Amino acid sequence: QGQLVESGGGLVQAGGSLTLSCTASGFVFENYMWGWFRQAPGKEREGIACVSWIGSSIFYSDSVKGRFTISRDNAKNTLYLQMNDLKPEDTAKYFCAPDTGPFTGWSTFGTGFSDWGPGTQVTVSL
């Protein structure tokens, strides 16, 4: 059974930056697309960024496009999310998850995965 551990969250002022990491074990990391998801209190989990197997294709939700950058290091089994120009509405718990792909939209990406990690909390203050 695979294990995911997200890290790098914290409290930051609006306009600030954070870099999240997701370390995967028990997965053949390079066999999957990987994505970042977030869930704010009282809201459903939403996909915000994903990257293809060797990083050649990347997709972002409209809410983070132009501010967040996803990347992956297959040698380290690690996924990253560089978050710039953070806004209070980015406050959420952030998770990573794999998907066999291909990407066909946020309504389906990651929906087949159930063994979510603990996530990492990002809080953006005014």
Side-chain angles (χ1 to χ4, degrees), residues 4-115:
L4 302 173
V5 178
E6 300 92 350
S7 62
L11 174 64
V12 64
Q13 285 189 323
S17 299
L18 284 173
T19 300
L20 306 184
S21 299
C22 164
T23 301
S25 58
F27 293 88
V28 183
F29 190 80
E30 59 266 29
N31 283 3
Y32 295 93
M33 294 187 69
W34 286 88
W36 283 100
F37 301 76
R38 68 185 182 186
Q39 187 167 20
K43 295 188 176 181
E44 291 189 355
R45 183 154 32 207
E46 62 169 339
I48 58 171
C50 68
V51 58
S52 62
W53 301 266
I54 59 171
S56 56
S57 296
I58 288 175
F59 303 92
Y60 296 102
S61 68
D62 289 342
S63 60
V64 306
K65 194 176 298 181
R67 301 186 297 123
F68 292 9
T69 302
I70 189 172
S71 62
R72 63 188 291 166
D73 186 334
N74 287 347
K76 295 182 178 180
N77 286 5
T78 302
L79 181 73
Y80 302 97
L81 185 69
Q82 172 68 43
M83 306 187 295
N84 297 327
D85 190 24
L86 283 160
K87 303 176 180 181
E89 51 263 43
D90 294 318
T91 295
K93 185 165 280 191
Y94 285 69
F95 304 84
C96 62
D99 191 287
T100 55
F103 180 79
T104 58
W106 291 114
S107 62
T108 56
F109 189 81
T111 55
F113 186 71
S114 59
D115 200 14

